[in-house]
Amino acid sequence: MTDYEFTIAGETLHAMSERTLWWHRTRTLAASDLHLGKDEGLRAAGAIVPTGPMQADLDRLSRAIERTDPERVVIVGDLIHGRLGLKDNVIDRVAAWRNQHACSFVLVVGNHARNARGNKLPIALDAWRMDVADPELTIDAITFVHDPADARGPSVAGHVHPAVTLGRAKAPAFTVLNAVVTLPAFSGFTAGAPIDPRSYDLVACCCDDSVICCYEAASA
């Protein structure tokens, strides 16, 4: 595993190949856009989709947790995909996975959670022992907020699923612009949105088990 180290607001951060961000000084691991239950929701809506994407994502998050031993895991929005995917078996499977990890979890509320309110979301968050921060969470100099458009000052965000086109493939990407870090979609079942790397101060791509710098502005 080869991660990529960079600095914002005087803090050293590591973009990890698991599509997570590690802030060692505060022992904070961040991920965004897990979209748990997306496959179940699509099947409930009549789509033909494969089984297994959620478990693969949970396994990958477990690997990131094992590598870093965090005090907390911050989910920077869109933990779930929608109401249709919050089935009892999804809640139970994620709860069993959550019980394997002693660190705390904090959900920064994003648009998908807001859209799913009034259904089983409170039951799920209780079963998953998930604290909630709405609309943002600030730890020292850095604020975690779902939409980068809402960032004010040094921040970590998600929402837009940045990706870089490499040949015929798209690679999930971390971006930095004006001290705002945008994480790639953690979900392996969520398409990335192609970006122009030249529009950012820094772009680092997830390529297999490594994160490589795809672009860095001269002034970054």
Side-chain angles (χ1 to χ4, degrees), residues 160-180:
V160 295
H161 311 165
V164 172
T165 301
L166 300 174
R168 296 183 178 181
K170 285 192 298 185
F174 297 81
T175 67
V176 181
L177 179 63
N178 299 327
V180 176

Side-chain angles (χ1 to χ4, degrees), residues 92-102 105 126-129:
D92 292 345
R93 285 164 57 199
V94 177
W97 173 88
R98 170 69 178 93
N99 288 336
Q100 300 172 15
H101 301 290
F105 279 70
D126 183 63
W128 301 340
R129 292 184 286 120

Side-chain angles (χ1 to χ4, degrees), residues 6-213:
F6 62 99
T7 302
I8 66 165
E11 298 288 347
T12 299
L13 305 176
H14 292 84
M16 299 176 62
S17 56
E18 291 89 349
R19 307 188 193 184
T20 54
L21 186 74
W22 174 231
W23 183 8
H24 182 269
R25 188 180 70 78
T26 63
R27 304 207 63 79
T28 300
L29 182 70
S32 185
D33 299 273
L34 274 67
H35 292 275
L36 297 178
K38 181 176 182 178
D39 52 343
E40 291 280 357
L42 291 175
R43 279 192 290 272
I48 300 175
V49 297
T51 60
M54 186 179 78
Q55 189 58 53
D57 288 340
L58 293 176
D59 290 345
R60 180 157 35 89
L61 186 52
S62 287
R63 291 195 295 272
I65 292 171
E66 290 163 4
R67 278 220 287 147
T68 55
D69 187 25
E71 177 181 327
R72 68 178 68 83
V73 176
V74 178
I75 307 300
V76 196
D78 291 355
L79 170 67
I80 66 165
H81 187 68
R83 295 183 182 185
L84 288 177
L86 271 181
K87 297 188 177 300
D88 290 342
N89 70 305
V90 171
I91 295 174
D92 292 345
R93 285 164 57 199
V94 177
W97 173 88
R98 170 69 178 93
N99 288 336
Q100 300 172 15
H101 301 290
C103 53
S104 65
F105 279 70
V106 183
L107 170 64
V108 176
V109 174
N111 54 298
H112 281 253
R114 290 192 177 92
N115 294 339
R117 282 177 171 169
N119 199 303
K120 292 184 178 180
L121 182 58
I123 296 172
L125 294 179
D126 183 63
W128 301 340
R129 292 184 286 120
M130 188 84 57
D131 297 325
V132 176
D134 189 2
E136 61 188 30
L137 171 70
T138 299
I139 301 174
D140 294 349
I142 297 178
T143 295
F144 296 81
V145 60
H146 180 55
D147 191 336
D150 296 328
R152 302 292 181 268
S155 303
V156 174
H159 184 56
V160 295
H161 311 165
V164 172
T165 301
L166 300 174
R168 296 183 178 181
K170 285 192 298 185
F174 297 81
T175 67
V176 181
L177 179 63
N178 299 327
V180 176
V181 183
T182 300
L183 306 183
F186 187 83
S187 169
F189 196 45
T190 297
I195 62 168
D196 180 356
R198 296 168 298 179
S199 299
Y200 296 88
D201 299 326
L202 175 69
V203 177
C205 302
C206 298
C207 300
D208 296 325
D209 290 336
S210 299
V211 180
I212 61 172
C213 181

